[in-house]
Amino acid sequence: MSTPCPITTFANTLLALPRDERRDSFATAVIEAGGAYPSDIPDHTPFEVQLAGYSALGAGEDAAICAWAEEVLNS
C-alpha cells in the first residue's frame, strides 16, 4: 500500500470541512507554504487561489477553495 500524497489528503480534508474551517485551513496553508490568497475582494468578484502549483478560480472565496481541491483531486 502506498502512502497518500499530502496535497491530495489536504484537498480531501478541505472538502470535508465546514466552510469557515475550510477557509481558515486553506489560508493557513498559503501562509505556511506560500501561494496566493487575495484579501479584501468585493462580493461578486471572481476569486483566484493558488497553492502547491495548483490554481483555481471561483465565484467567491469558498467556491475558489473547493475548485482548487477538485483540481488537485482530478489531476
Side-chain angles (χ1 to χ4, degrees), residues 3-64:
T3 304
C5 173
I7 200 69
T8 302
T9 301
F10 181 60
N12 279 315
T13 300
L14 283 174
L15 293 174
L17 290 172
R19 185 187 66 194
D20 289 342
E21 290 179 40
R22 180 171 34 249
R23 290 174 175 180
D24 289 346
S25 293
F26 192 86
T28 299
V30 168
I31 290 167
E32 291 177 356
Y37 191 91
S39 61
D40 300 326
I41 300 294
D43 289 342
H44 308 294
T45 301
F47 199 96
E48 183 178 13
V49 293
Q50 299 173 7
L51 180 64
Y54 298 92
S55 64
L57 188 65
E61 181 178 7
D62 195 55

Side-chain angles (χ1 to χ4, degrees), residues 54-75:
Y54 298 92
S55 64
L57 188 65
E61 181 178 7
D62 195 55
I65 293 169
C66 290
W68 178 91
E70 293 294 337
E71 176 68 22
V72 169
L73 296 174
N74 291 325
S75 63

